[in-house]
Amino acid sequence: MTSGLPYKDIFGNLPALLASLVLVALVLTALAGPLLVSHDPLGVDLDNSRQPPGRVHLLGTDNIGRDILSRIVSGTRISLGVGISASLFSLCIGTFFGLVAGYFGGRTDLVFSQIFDIFLAFPSLVLAIGISAIMPPGLFSAMLAITLVSWAGFARLVRGMTLSLKEQTYVEASRAIGATTGRVLFRHILPNALPLLLVAGSLRVGGFIPLEAALSFLGLGVQPPTPTWGSMISLNRAFINSAPWMVIFPGLAISVTVISFNIIGDFLRDKLDPRLQG
């Protein structure tokens, strides 16, 4: 039996509750970004370049007069979208291959496990840079690179859970009465692995967002003038001493988002991982 999601328990955990509120605010910002700002994130105003935070520009302006707050809000859609989409895509790919490897075992498991190990042998950032470098830079390239970097980790996790779950009595009973392979995998094994996959996915989103920021920082992600948190840091890093707000606020957006996803991931792990239950 799969465990229900601990919706009510979150109200008794202040860090998790605050992290949830932050993530809800970020999602709403991503969906309604243009309605929340009064300045064009691409609008150039050289007369007001490098303005410190104030009444007109709450977070200041960059070196060509673009409003920092508007650019952060606009970049939320891309940074959050890439992180969540890459997590979903890599989770789906990794789940499929992990189920196949763990359930069928033998030579199939050996071949797939070696493929997983090849992908996992490379540092994530190095592999993502290599993949992005051979494709035209842009949103799709960044998302594809992060997906290809991360799917093998999910596959190894699902493979391990499948090896354990397929030996359970209810799975053996299902096979004994003639259940098809697809029914066993998707009605018995996958639903019982889903809570831990949800935990893993939420934790990995917290790693994908800075990875996308790193690719944008290196010029391999979304291209200017489209704002992303990573590209804002990259373009403004030369002014970190004279106008630090140009770098600090995009960096805070990355940090707060990553910390929030990690807190939620830890909360879900504590509630859903049977190995941590007393």
Side-chain angles (χ1 to χ4, degrees):
M1 296 290 291
T2 56
S3 301
L5 296 181
Y7 296 116
K8 297 181 179 179
D9 293 345
I10 201 168
F11 292 101
N13 187 311
L14 182 59
L17 179 60
L18 293 177
S20 299
L21 294 176
V22 169
L23 295 181
V24 169
L26 286 170
V27 171
L28 294 177
T29 299
L31 295 175
L35 303 176
L36 302 177
V37 294
S38 56
H39 298 278
D40 182 0
L42 303 180
V44 175
D45 184 5
L46 295 177
D47 292 334
N48 289 298
S49 63
R50 282 186 275 177
Q51 291 291 315
R55 183 175 59 84
V56 177
H57 300 282
L58 295 179
L59 301 184
T61 62
D62 64 11
N63 63 309
I64 57 175
R66 295 175 297 192
D67 184 70
I68 297 294
L69 176 59
S70 299
R71 291 178 64 77
I72 290 177
V73 169
S74 181
T76 302
R77 181 175 302 179
I78 294 176
S79 298
L80 202 63
V82 169
I84 294 177
S85 298
S87 181
L88 289 174
F89 292 149
S90 56
L91 183 60
C92 291
I93 296 172
T95 297
F96 174 78
F97 286 107
L99 284 172
V100 172
Y103 185 78
F104 291 102
R107 183 172 297 180
T108 300
D109 185 26
L110 178 63
V111 171
F112 279 114
S113 294
Q114 290 176 343
I115 295 174
F116 304 158
D117 290 339
I118 291 173
F119 277 87
L120 293 172
F122 294 92
S124 298
L125 181 58
V126 174
L127 184 56
I129 291 173
I131 295 172
S132 298
I134 62 177
M135 297 185 296
L139 178 61
F140 176 78
S141 297
M143 192 179 303
L144 180 61
I146 296 173
T147 300
L148 293 177
V149 162
S150 56
W151 73 272
F154 287 117
R156 285 291 298 270
L157 175 64
V158 175
R159 171 188 173 273
M161 289 189 290
T162 303
L163 288 173
S164 174
L165 290 171
K166 74 176 184 179
E167 303 299 331
Q168 297 297 314
T169 303
Y170 61 87
V171 175
E172 294 180 351
S174 179
R175 288 199 296 258
I177 62 175
T180 63
T181 298
R183 182 177 179 84
V184 172
L185 288 175
F186 296 105
R187 286 293 302 274
H188 299 290
I189 294 180
L190 181 58
N192 285 278
L194 200 57
L196 293 185
L197 291 179
L198 179 64
V199 173
S202 62
L203 287 171
R204 292 304 297 272
V205 173
F208 294 158
I209 290 175
L211 184 55
E212 181 277 328
L215 293 176
S216 296
F217 181 88
L218 296 172
L220 298 174
V222 179
Q223 297 299 290
T226 303
T228 68
W229 297 340
S231 65
M232 290 176 67
I233 296 175
S234 176
L235 294 172
N236 298 324
R237 68 186 186 277
F239 305 97
I240 190 170
N241 292 322
S242 60
W245 60 86
M246 296 163 57
V247 174
I248 289 176
F249 290 120
L252 281 176
I254 296 173
S255 299
V256 170
T257 303
V258 171
I259 291 171
S260 297
F261 272 109
N262 287 341
I263 290 175
I264 291 298
D266 288 339
F267 170 76
L268 292 174
R269 181 191 60 195
D270 293 341
K271 295 297 180 181
L272 299 180
D273 192 340
R275 295 170 297 183
L276 300 179
Q277 303 300 314

